[in-house]
Amino acid sequence: MTVGVTGASGAILAQKTLALLEADARVARIHLVVTETGQRLFAEELGITAGDLKQLATRILGEPAAKIEVLANKDVGASIASGSYEVDSMIVIPCSMGTLAAIANGISDDLVARAADVMLKEARKLVLCIRDTPFNRVHLENMMRAQQAGAVIMPAIPAFYHQPKTIDDLVTQYVCRVLAQIGLPQEKMYRWTGRAATKEAKA
């Protein structure tokens, strides 16, 4: 599968996604593409500098990455830029409004946008974890265009019904929901099972 990381706030979401995918026995290979602003995001929010791009995954995980192949965002001739190369799914997390616009309008001027375009044209799963607020009309229209083309629009909105105690609880639940969208449900995901109805108040 492919993971794209852009410059919208939320580097911790990308980090958790990569950690869960790396540990998932169902996943054979992960192609990681980080935009220039995505690299800046890792540096500013997690203190992870780019350095040697090939070592980026190891720095993100804090341990050697066995499954992750880092691809340069400028390499539009990479394997994932072609529909003939089999990739089951792609997640862009976090997804900036600029990357959303490029994907929604078919502007494949870098590898993240091109790989996403391939997913849409080949009718494969694409999840865009958009991260911005508030949305203006352009943002909303681009979300509609991408969704109508086949993408799943999944804003980085935390849930609270599982009574999170830490930031990691919030991050893990959201990322688990994202992975469930691509057919990789996680044991760590909280699943709502309903609550017994409260007794009716009596006069």
Side-chain angles (χ1 to χ4, degrees):
M1 62 168 301
T2 300
V3 175
V5 181
T6 72
S9 183
I12 194 172
L13 301 175
Q15 185 181 49
K16 177 63 69 173
T17 299
L18 292 170
L20 291 178
L21 290 174
E22 177 74 16
D24 196 322
R26 296 167 294 180
V27 178
R29 179 171 291 276
I30 305 153
H31 302 286
L32 173 62
V33 187
V34 183
T35 66
E36 290 183 1
T37 51
Q39 293 179 34
R40 179 174 176 175
L41 181 74
F42 278 124
E44 293 184 354
E45 294 189 355
L46 298 179
I48 299 171
T49 55
D52 181 0
L53 197 62
K54 293 181 180 180
Q55 298 300 316
L56 179 59
T58 296
R59 289 196 298 279
I60 292 171
L61 297 181
E63 59 186 23
K67 301 178 184 178
I68 303 174
E69 176 190 11
V70 182
L71 301 174
N73 190 43
K74 293 181 179 180
D75 186 7
V76 293
S79 57
I80 59 174
S82 173
S84 63
Y85 182 78
E86 294 187 11
V87 174
D88 294 302
S89 56
M90 178 176 179
I91 299 169
V92 184
I93 182 167
C95 181
S96 67
M97 290 299 109
T99 296
L100 168 67
I103 294 169
N105 293 280
I107 305 172
S108 302
D109 57 353
D110 63 13
L111 187 54
V112 170
R114 172 57 187 169
D117 186 67
V118 167
M119 302 305 289
L120 294 178
K121 78 182 185 70
E122 299 294 334
R124 299 170 184 166
K125 199 75 172 187
L126 172 65
V127 181
L128 304 179
C129 303
I130 58 172
R131 225 305 309 167
D132 207 342
T133 189
F135 300 132
N136 64 36
R137 179 164 182 163
V138 174
H139 299 158
L140 295 169
E141 289 180 349
N142 283 334
M143 281 184 248
M144 285 290 294
R145 288 176 64 88
Q147 192 275 338
Q148 289 168 352
V152 173
I153 304 299
M154 197 160 180
I157 299 174
F160 297 94
Y161 56 86
H162 59 301
Q163 299 181 344
K165 301 295 189 297
T166 66
I167 291 176
D168 186 66
D169 290 341
L170 291 171
V171 169
T172 298
Q173 179 65 7
Y174 172 76
V175 172
C176 284
R177 292 289 304 276
V178 171
L179 297 182
Q181 284 290 319
I182 62 170
L184 292 173
Q186 302 289 308
E187 292 182 1
K188 294 182 178 182
M189 188 177 90
Y190 176 86
R191 292 170 175 80
W192 180 257
T193 57
R195 291 270 171 84
T198 56
K199 295 181 179 180
E200 294 182 4
K202 295 184 180 180

